[in-house]
Amino acid sequence: MRLDIYKTLAHKGKTEEYQVTPEITEVSHTGATYPICDRQPFELFVSNEGGTNLFIKGETTVSVMIPCDRCLSDVSVEFPITISESFQIKDEMIVTDPEENSDLAEGKEIDVDRILMNEIQLHWPDKVLCRTDCKGLCPVCGKNRNITECDCDRTVLDPRMAKFLDVFDQFKEV
Ligand SMILES: [Zn+2]
Ligand SMILES: [Zn+2]
C-alpha cells in the first residue's frame, strides 16, 4: 500500500503513528516469484524533524511461501521485519535520492509494500528446508522420500569399482 503522510509533512517536529495494512501479494527473488502467505496490519511511526528530515520506524512480520530446497514442498518462511528509513524533506515534500531510495517514497507518499519487499529480499535465507532432516526427492523415481520410501537403488557405482567387479566376474567364469 501507499501511505499518504501529508499530515506529518506539514507538522514540523511531530511524530505520528499510522496504522498500515500491507497489500503485498508476492515477492521476487533471483528471477522467481514467491507468494506471500501471511501479513499483518502494523503501526508505522513517522517523524518530521525540523521540516528537513523524515524518519519512519515500524516492526512487522511477513511470511513467504518458499519451496523446500530438498523436496520442493511449500514452506511458510517467516520474515521478522524492522523498518527504519530516513528521507529528506523540502517544502513539505519527500526528496528522493535517485541513487538510494527513490522507489520507497515519493511526494507525500510512502510505498509500504515496496519497503517490505526490499526487507524480505535483503534477508532471504540461504537455505530453506521443510524440516532439518528432510530426506528430499529420490533421484531415481522423483518421489518425495518423506512421504513414501521407494525401493530404488540409489548407490552410485564408482566406475573404477565397476571395472574391478568385471575382472572379478571373469575370474569366476574360469
Ligand atoms: Zn523438504
Ligand atoms: Zn525412488
Side-chain angles (χ1 to χ4, degrees), residues 68-73 75 129-131 134-136 144 146:
C68 169
D69 283 341
R70 288 188 199 149
C71 73
L72 306 176
S73 63
V75 185
L129 291 178
C130 60
R131 58 191 215 205
C134 170
K135 293 180 188 164
N144 185 339
N146 298 312

Side-chain angles (χ1 to χ4, degrees), residues 10-85:
H11 285 174
K12 211 188 259 187
K14 273 240 171 166
T15 295
E16 268 146 341
E17 193 182 322
Y18 292 83
Q19 180 79 15
V20 296
T21 308
E23 286 162 358
I24 180 173
T25 55
E26 54 182 35
V27 62
S28 46
H29 181 74
T30 58
T33 308
Y34 303 86
I36 303 291
C37 50
D38 191 41
R39 50 181 151 78
Q40 302 293 332
F42 65 100
E43 273 113 50
L44 195 67
F45 297 89
V46 184
S47 315
N48 175 340
E49 282 201 16
T52 52
N53 286 294
L54 189 80
F55 293 98
I56 61 167
K57 284 190 190 307
E59 275 181 22
T60 187
T61 306
V62 177
S63 298
V64 186
M65 206 63 107
I66 307 173
C68 169
D69 283 341
R70 288 188 199 149
C71 73
L72 306 176
S73 63
D74 282 338
V75 185
S76 168
V77 180
E78 209 172 77
F79 289 80
I81 292 172
T82 304
I83 296 173
S84 178
E85 295 281 345

Side-chain angles (χ1 to χ4, degrees), residues 138 140-141 150 152 154:
C138 166
V140 182
C141 71
C150 52
C152 298
R154 284 184 296 271

Side-chain angles (χ1 to χ4, degrees), residues 47-137:
S47 315
N48 175 340
E49 282 201 16
T52 52
N53 286 294
L54 189 80
F55 293 98
I56 61 167
K57 284 190 190 307
E59 275 181 22
T60 187
T61 306
V62 177
S63 298
V64 186
M65 206 63 107
I66 307 173
C68 169
D69 283 341
R70 288 188 199 149
C71 73
L72 306 176
S73 63
D74 282 338
V75 185
S76 168
V77 180
E78 209 172 77
F79 289 80
I81 292 172
T82 304
I83 296 173
S84 178
E85 295 281 345
S86 62
F87 301 93
Q88 275 190 297
I89 330 174
K90 203 180 175 203
D91 303 328
E92 300 182 3
M93 296 275 263
I94 298 164
V95 183
T96 45
D97 180 347
E99 301 253 300
E100 250 186 59
N101 50 15
S102 59
D103 56 348
L104 304 184
E106 200 188 3
K108 297 177 187 245
E109 286 182 336
I110 295 171
D111 192 336
V112 177
D113 286 340
R114 170 64 64 185
I115 291 172
L116 294 178
M117 220 178 282
N118 274 7
E119 287 300 313
I120 294 168
Q121 283 162 344
L122 276 174
H123 298 102
W124 201 265
D126 293 330
K127 209 179 186 88
V128 173
L129 291 178
C130 60
R131 58 191 215 205
T132 48
D133 63 343
C134 170
K135 293 180 188 164
L137 300 177

